[in-house]
Every structure is written in C-alpha cells, then in structure tokens.
C-alpha cells in the first residue's frame, strides 16, 4: 500500500467486486441526469452508507456492478413501508501484510459481522429511521441457542443473520445489503474526508488513534478507526454514536454542492461505494432510488435500542448487553407503524404509566458560554461537565453580554428532559426555555459548582428505556 504522500495514495482494499474499492471506468456514455435526479440518487447512496458504514444502491449502476448474496428475504411490494438489514462484514483475506499493518487489523482471516443496522423506510418513502443493533446483544440465535447477535452470521451466514434480527425485533426484513467495511476508506477519501467532533479524548493504542476532544477532519483510514474504536467509557454504545455521526457527515458531504456539481468527485464516490456492496438478488434498488427523491438530512432519524443491562455477564463469562424487552418491542412496533419511536404510543398517552427514566448524561450534548469576565471559567466548567458524563464538543465560547449574574441552562423545544438533567448537575442553575437549538449553559458570576459524578457513573451510563432519536442534521458537527 502506498504512503499518503505518494502518487495515487488511495487505499486499495481487496480486489474483487465484493472486497475491492476500485472499478474499471465505464466508458459507455449515459444520458445526462438532472440535478434533482443526481441529488436523489446520492441520498440513497449515502443513506445506505453504514456498517461502518458504507453501501449504496445506485447511481448510474448496472446489476453487474453490484455483487449479490441470497439472504432469503421477503421481497417488498412495489410500494409501501420496507425494512432493510445492513450488515457490515470485516473481510480481510485479500489484504497484504503491509495493508494490515497500516490499518492495525491484525492477522485474522475470514469474515465476521462488525456492525448491524436496521433501516426502516416509511410507507411514502419520505422518512427513514436507522436503528443500530449493539454487536454484543445477548439473544437467541434460531437453532443455535443464546449467543451474541453478531455470531449469527458466523453460524449461518446472511440467512441466519436475517432470521435472528427478525426474531429479536419482530420486523419482517424486505431487503438485505452486505458491506465490506474496509472499503469504507475509499468512500471517505472520494469525498475529501469527513468532519467529526468527539466530546471526549480518544486514545486507542491498538489502532494508533489519538484524538483530543474537539472537531477533526479525518481521511478514510482515520475515519474507519474513529467509527470502530471502543476505547471510550461506554465502549460499543459510544461506538454506535460515532458511527451514526460519521454516516450523517458522509450524507452531508455527499449532498453538498461541491460534490453534486463535480462529476468526477460524484462518480468517484459512487464507484467506491458500489464496489463494497452485495445485495439480495433482484433487490430493486434502482426503483427505490426513484421513490426516495425528496428525502433530506432532516428526514433521516437515528435511534438506539433501549437496554436493561449494559454489564451483563453471559454463562460463558463474556460481557454483553441485554435489551429492555418491552421497551424494545414497543420501539420496533412504533417504527413498523411509521411512528417516531421517541413519541409515546397512543395507549401510553391515554393511560398513565411508570415515569420514564432520566436521559443519561452520555446522550446529552452541550454548548458552554462564559457570560462573565472571569478568565478560564468556561474551560473549568467544560472539564467538570465532561467528567460528569456530558458531551461537550469543541471549545467553549463567550457571550456578547458579560454581566450574567446567574448561571442559566437554556434549551430548545423538545429538550426539557435533557435540560433538567444538566440543571440537576449544576445545583442552583436557572432552567430557561428559549428558541436556541439544543442545550446551552451560560455561566454567570455565581460560579456554581458541578456535582461530582457518582463512582459508577463514568464507566457505563445507566441504560434508559425511553427511546430517543436524532436526525442526521442534528448529528453533524456545528461550526
């Protein structure tokens, strides 16, 4: 593999239609696509970018450009809601020793599922919900007993993986897309990299990834490491957050005017994604692209499975996570009915029920601004709030007005529950609803102290049973 400074520094991963990342240019002239059609197809290409995240159906694609795999799915109707199972497979057999060393992947051969996501398309194909399934989920694999969910692929390939996901979610899977996640490198590089923001520093010596807290521009190799590392407090749960952030960043970059108006860059992105994908035969992604013409970043929502135990010890001594079965069942039922999983069900709204648990600090992102002339106040507050468990990306800012007497926690519409958790961590702070986006802490001269986190709060956040969602637009790093 060439070093980044050498000519043609793209990373070559694999060499076939499944594992490779480069395609021979297609010389046949094709009809010029309208700007709207190109945007529509890139939405689908980016949307299906997952696992660590890459896949695509379809821009100027022909069936022979995409590999096929039989997962035994129930074919979708020509219209209506659909469920897609995305499986990211770690396939490294074709890598040279030099490539393995650069990517810090080790010497193992074979295939294993690294990521599993369920993508639900609403009946009108105008809304998309993406649910990441924790790879350490302890569940029943049909015919094999209780195992982690990512072992289903190893036991029985795509068909058993599909059957296992259907059994645990209650959803009928209509499409199956399998991605070689190592091809993700070239997808990122074809777009000129992605911008990510980490609220906490990451130091993963196994893959040589060292990122201070803040915003970073990453190339393909570093983006792959960022999406796969588990070297933070919540391990795989933090990894899911990072993967969703990277998917959103890829979508944002793919849909930018810089990409859509640049035929060479657009073609490079599409060809890189196509070369990593295998789909169920007769998948019909071309028709799906046409139906998704109006999808935008605000129409793509990410959700996480409600958990009851993030430190479960299996009978074999492994560490795993357990779903909250009732909450998960309700969430997937809501998704299947085209409802936002974060909204209460009609029956729950009509009948008082158990008070939902507070939003875990690890799921709350804050902005901090110094409203005083006290030097270093915001930096000290950030350190304390990050230690408490909140996400505080980027550097704190300053307000124009410098005479704030009281510390204020400001929040926008729909952020009341999370803002209360922040205010509880800063006793005496005033809670105020405004038209701001998200949650903002304005520090006053009262210099309130942040509570000390509980001894067991940092290693793993308390699991919550109330589903939350974020749109792709909300996941993008704000400048």
């Amino acid at each position: 593999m060439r070093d980044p400074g050498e000519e043609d520094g793209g990373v070559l991963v694999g060499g076939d239609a499944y594992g490779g990342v480069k395609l021979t240019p297609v010389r046949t002239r094709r009809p010029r696509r309208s700007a709207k059609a190109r945007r529509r197809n890139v939405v689908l290409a980016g949307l299906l970018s997952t696992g660590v995240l890459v896949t695509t159906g379809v821009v100027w694609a022909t069936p022979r450009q995409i590999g096929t795999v039989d997962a035994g799915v129930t074919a979708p109707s020509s219209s209506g809601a659909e469920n897609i199972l995305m499986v990211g497979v770690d396939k490294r057999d074709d890598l040279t020793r030099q490539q393995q060393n650069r990517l810090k992947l080790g010497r193992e051969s074979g295939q294993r599922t690294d990521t599993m996501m369920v993508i639900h398309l609403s009946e009108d194909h105008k809304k998309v919900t993406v649910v990441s399934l924790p790879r350490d989920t302890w569940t029943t694999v049909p015919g094999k007993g209780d195992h982690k969910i990512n072992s289903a692929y190893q036991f029985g390939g795509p068909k058993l993986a599909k059957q296992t996901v259907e059994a645990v979610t209650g959803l009928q899977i209509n499409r199956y897309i399998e991605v070689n996640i190592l091809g993700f490198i070239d997808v990122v590089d074809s777009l000129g990299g992605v911008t990510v923001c980490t609220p906490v520093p990451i130091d993963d010596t196994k893959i040589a990834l060292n990122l201070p807290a803040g915003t970073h521009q990453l190339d393909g190799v570093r983006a792959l490491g960022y999406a796969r590392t588990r070297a933070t407090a919540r391990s795989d749960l933090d990894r899911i957050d990072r993967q969703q952030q990277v998917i959103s960043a890829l979508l944002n970059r793919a849909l930018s005017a810089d990409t859509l108006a640049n035929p060479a860059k657009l073609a490079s992105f599409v060809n890189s994604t196509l070369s990593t994908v295998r789909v169920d035969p007769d998948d019909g992604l071309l028709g799906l692209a046409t139906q998704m013409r109006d999808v935008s970043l605000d129409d793509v929502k990410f959700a996480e499975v409600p958990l009851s135990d993030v430190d479960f010890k299996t009978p074999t001594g492994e560490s795993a996570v357990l779903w909250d079965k009732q909450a998960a069942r309700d969430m997937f039922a809501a998704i299947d009915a085209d409802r936002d999983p974060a909204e209460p069900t009609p029956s729950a709204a009509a009948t008082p029920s158990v008070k939902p648990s507070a939003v875990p600090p690890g799921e709350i992102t804050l902005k901090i601004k110094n409203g005083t002339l006290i030097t270093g106040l915001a930096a000290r507050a950030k350190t304390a709030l990050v230690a408490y468990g909140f996400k505080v990306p980027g550097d704190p800012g300053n307000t124009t007005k410098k005479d704030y007497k009281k510390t204020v926690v400001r929040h926008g519409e729909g952020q009341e529950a999370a803002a209360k958790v922040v205010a509880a961590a800063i006793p005496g702070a005033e809670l105020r609803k405004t038209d701001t986006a998200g949650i903002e802490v304005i520090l006053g001269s009262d210099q309130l102290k942040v509570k000390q986190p509980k001894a067991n709060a940092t290693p793993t956040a308390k699991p919550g049973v109330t589903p939350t969602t974020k749109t792709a637009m909300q996941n993008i790093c704000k400048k």
Side-chain angles (χ1 to χ4, degrees):
M1 180 177 294
R2 297 178 176 88
D3 290 328
E6 295 179 335
E7 185 178 357
D8 186 22
V11 179
L12 177 64
V13 182
D16 56 21
Y18 169 45
V21 296
K22 295 184 183 296
L23 293 178
T24 303
V26 179
R27 299 176 183 273
T28 305
R29 294 180 64 86
R30 292 177 172 81
R32 186 176 181 83
R33 300 291 200 237
S34 68
K36 187 172 184 179
R38 283 181 289 153
R39 178 187 178 281
R40 171 196 70 212
N41 290 332
V42 173
V43 167
L44 182 60
L47 264 186
L48 303 184
S49 288
T50 97
V52 259
L53 332 185
V54 215
T55 178
T56 171
V58 162
V59 185
W60 310 310
T62 61
R64 62 182 174 79
Q65 285 179 282
I66 307 177
T68 60
V69 58
D70 183 9
V73 298
T74 302
S77 59
S78 57
S79 62
E82 298 182 18
N83 299 306
I84 302 171
L85 173 60
M86 303 291 303
V87 174
V89 177
D90 182 345
K91 180 177 183 289
R92 57 187 72 172
D93 302 63
D94 295 331
L95 299 184
T96 66
R97 179 65 60 88
Q98 185 180 8
Q99 289 168 335
Q100 289 178 334
N101 289 339
R102 183 184 176 193
L103 298 174
K104 310 296 182 183
L105 293 175
R107 303 283 182 257
E108 299 92 346
S109 60
Q111 301 179 35
R112 54 198 60 78
T113 52
D114 188 80
T115 302
M116 301 179 82
M117 294 185 180
V118 173
I119 300 175
H120 176 79
L121 309 183
S122 63
E123 185 173 4
D124 58 8
H125 288 183
K126 293 182 179 180
K127 301 288 184 181
V128 180
T129 304
V130 182
V131 184
S132 299
L133 309 183
R135 59 184 288 181
D136 291 339
T137 294
W138 190 251
T139 190
T140 300
V141 178
K144 301 295 181 180
D146 291 342
H147 296 276
K148 290 185 179 181
I149 197 168
N150 68 340
S151 66
Y153 188 98
Q154 293 170 294
F155 284 132
K159 288 186 176 181
L160 188 56
K162 188 269 298 186
Q163 292 169 8
T164 303
V165 170
E166 287 185 329
V168 74
T169 64
L171 300 176
Q172 184 180 77
I173 299 301
N174 307 117
R175 301 181 191 271
Y176 175 90
I177 301 179
E178 184 176 297
V179 184
N180 179 2
I181 61 174
L182 301 182
F184 166 69
I185 295 168
D186 268 16
V187 175
V188 172
D189 287 338
S190 72
L191 294 173
V194 293
T195 302
V196 301
C197 42
T198 174
V200 296
I202 298 175
D203 186 11
D204 190 337
T205 56
K206 292 182 179 179
I207 59 174
L209 181 70
N210 190 307
L211 297 174
T215 302
H216 304 275
Q217 178 74 11
L218 304 181
D219 63 8
V221 171
R222 298 182 80 207
L224 177 60
Y226 179 79
R228 299 187 73 185
T229 182
R230 302 170 81 176
T232 49
R234 296 169 68 238
S235 188
D236 193 46
L237 303 183
D238 281 340
R239 194 178 83 133
I240 286 174
D241 288 343
R242 285 189 291 272
Q243 291 183 356
Q244 293 179 351
Q245 184 187 130
V246 174
I247 294 173
S248 301
L250 278 174
L251 270 172
N252 186 47
R253 185 62 63 88
L255 290 172
S256 69
D258 180 53
T259 299
L260 292 176
N262 187 329
K265 190 172 184 178
L266 184 59
S268 177
F269 166 63
V270 171
N271 283 338
S272 294
T273 54
L274 288 177
S275 62
T276 71
V277 180
R278 295 201 304 172
V279 301
D280 205 75
D282 301 320
D283 191 75
L285 286 175
L286 281 167
L288 185 60
T290 302
Q291 298 172 39
M292 295 178 64
R293 63 175 62 89
D294 297 322
V295 171
S296 69
L297 294 183
D298 287 318
D299 298 321
V300 182
K301 286 192 175 182
F302 294 90
E304 296 184 13
V305 178
L307 303 176
S308 63
D309 191 346
V310 295
D311 289 315
F312 177 70
K313 292 299 180 184
T314 72
T316 56
E318 302 171 89
S319 295
V321 298
L322 295 179
W323 293 11
D324 183 293
K325 292 184 178 180
Q326 183 60 53
R329 186 161 41 247
D330 291 344
M331 183 189 77
F332 284 111
I335 290 173
D336 203 35
D338 283 354
R339 297 198 309 270
D340 186 328
E343 296 177 357
T345 62
S347 59
T351 305
S353 59
V354 178
K355 183 180 178 180
S357 59
V359 182
E363 295 181 7
I364 301 174
T365 300
L366 312 175
K367 291 182 180 178
I368 299 177
K369 290 185 179 180
N370 189 348
T372 75
L373 294 173
I374 303 172
T375 303
L377 181 61
R380 293 194 294 273
K382 174 178 177 176
T383 299
L385 288 167
V386 168
Y388 193 90
F390 297 110
K391 297 179 180 179
V392 189
D395 296 326
N398 297 289
T399 58
T400 303
K401 180 183 173 184
K402 299 295 183 183
D403 58 351
Y404 278 82
K405 303 297 183 184
K406 193 172 184 60
T407 296
V408 179
V409 178
R410 310 196 322 169
H411 65 89
E413 185 69 34
Q415 297 287 331
E416 291 87 352
K420 287 180 180 178
V421 175
V422 178
I426 313 174
E430 178 183 328
L431 197 61
R432 187 182 302 169
K433 183 177 179 180
T434 67
D435 59 358
T436 187
I439 300 175
E440 194 174 64
V441 177
I442 306 296
L443 300 169
S445 56
D446 50 358
Q447 298 189 59
L448 298 176
K449 301 296 183 182
V450 177
K451 280 184 177 181
Q452 290 292 320
K454 294 180 180 179
N456 62 349
T458 301
T460 54
K462 180 181 178 182
V465 297
T466 303
T468 58
T469 59
K470 273 188 176 181
T471 67
M473 183 62 75
Q474 290 171 326
N475 270 333
I476 296 170
C477 299
K478 302 299 187 291
K479 296 182 180 179

